[in-house]
Amino acid sequence: MKGYTIQEAKICGNCAHFRLHYVRWDFYLLLRCGHCVHPRRKRRRSEETCPLWEPKKAP
């Protein structure tokens, strides 16, 4: 029986260069947008794709 492997989707939300934006009221609320820092800052949405995608490194 074959096992399952988890494959990350190559979208900006899973990229090492993507920084997610937050809004603070009485709590922090995640937004679906952010910015990419490689090689310069660009506006991105978390579900977009990019040719510069790299997987996030484990902490």
Side-chain angles (χ1 to χ4, degrees), residues 11-19 37 52-57:
I11 57 174
C12 290
N14 296 332
C15 182
H17 308 295
F18 184 73
R19 304 298 183 260
V37 296
L52 302 172
W53 185 86
E54 290 182 20
K56 288 185 179 180
K57 295 179 177 80

Side-chain angles (χ1 to χ4, degrees), residues 6-15 46 48-49 53-55:
I6 298 173
Q7 295 181 349
E8 290 184 8
K10 294 185 178 183
I11 57 174
C12 290
N14 296 332
C15 182
S46 60
E48 288 183 27
T49 59
W53 185 86
E54 290 182 20

Side-chain angles (χ1 to χ4, degrees), residues 41-52:
R41 293 182 79 181
K42 301 171 288 289
R43 288 184 181 178
R44 296 276 189 227
R45 295 187 62 86
S46 60
E47 62 271 352
E48 288 183 27
T49 59
C50 178
L52 302 172

Side-chain angles (χ1 to χ4, degrees), residues 19-34:
R19 304 298 183 260
L20 191 61
H21 291 176
Y22 297 85
V23 174
R24 181 177 172 232
W25 279 297
D26 293 331
F27 54 92
Y28 287 96
L29 178 65
L30 292 171
L31 300 177
R32 290 177 39 201
C33 62

